[in-house]
Every structure is written in structure tokens, then in C-alpha cells.
Amino acid sequence: MNAHDEQGTTMTGVEPNRLDDQQLMKELETIHRTRHDTLLYGSNDALRTHNERMAQLEGEYLRRNPRRPVAAGRTREGARERSGADTTTPTTPGT
């Protein structure tokens, strides 16, 4: 079987649910590494394809790892603690 599946004329790669865990991680590492260049220099079609593939891969990762470890500093509360901001009381601009 071909390593890529066709959807219209766009090559989208192997369906993420058909990748083993190691292959999925490799695909995620590659797509994240190429993200910046695709955003800055890719055509609109390339960026659209990249977005779709990234969403597929990340969605599959999250499906497989619903209880993945989350670093405290990567939560809203952790970010507030880093910045020293207290947002428990909303403020109105100009007051």
C-alpha cells in the first residue's frame, strides 16, 4: 500500500490512527519543526494542508493521551502566578 492517501489532489499522508505511537510522535515532531517556514514562506495551499495535517496529528495524539501530564506553568493559573497578575477581580477600563 502507498505511504500516502489521496484526498482530492492533495497528499495528506497516512491516516494518524494507522500510525503507531512512535510514528505519530515522529510525524508530530516533523510538522512542528516545519511550521514556522510553512507559515512564513508557504503558499496558501501549503499552509492550509499543513494546518489540516497538524490538526489531524494533534487530535490523534490527544485521543490516545487524554490524561497526558500538564505542566503547572502551562495553565492559566500557572501563567498568572508567573506574571504576578491577579485576575480574580475583573477591572473596567478607565476606572
Side-chain angles (χ1 to χ4, degrees), residues 1-94:
M1 174 164 203
N2 191 340
H4 293 88
D5 299 319
E6 287 193 41
Q7 180 178 351
T9 59
T10 304
M11 297 298 280
T12 57
V14 176
E15 292 178 31
N17 64 351
R18 293 176 47 205
L19 299 170
D20 65 31
D21 288 344
Q22 186 176 1
Q23 292 169 323
L24 179 61
M25 288 307 295
K26 184 174 179 175
E27 289 281 324
L28 282 165
E29 289 168 2
T30 299
I31 203 159
H32 285 120
R33 188 175 54 251
T34 60
R35 179 65 182 170
H36 189 73
D37 283 345
T38 304
L39 176 63
L40 295 179
Y41 309 114
S43 67
N44 288 340
D45 286 341
L47 185 57
R48 186 178 314 103
T49 299
H50 203 272
N51 288 343
E52 290 170 4
R53 181 65 174 170
M54 183 177 285
Q56 292 171 349
L57 293 168
E58 289 178 347
E60 180 63 18
Y61 177 83
L62 293 172
R63 185 189 70 75
R64 293 182 192 187
N65 299 282
R67 298 182 190 274
R68 72 191 193 291
V70 177
R74 301 296 298 178
T75 64
R76 287 184 181 189
E77 184 177 333
R80 288 184 196 115
E81 288 174 9
R82 275 196 320 270
S83 69
D86 180 7
T87 59
T88 57
T89 320
T91 58
T92 304

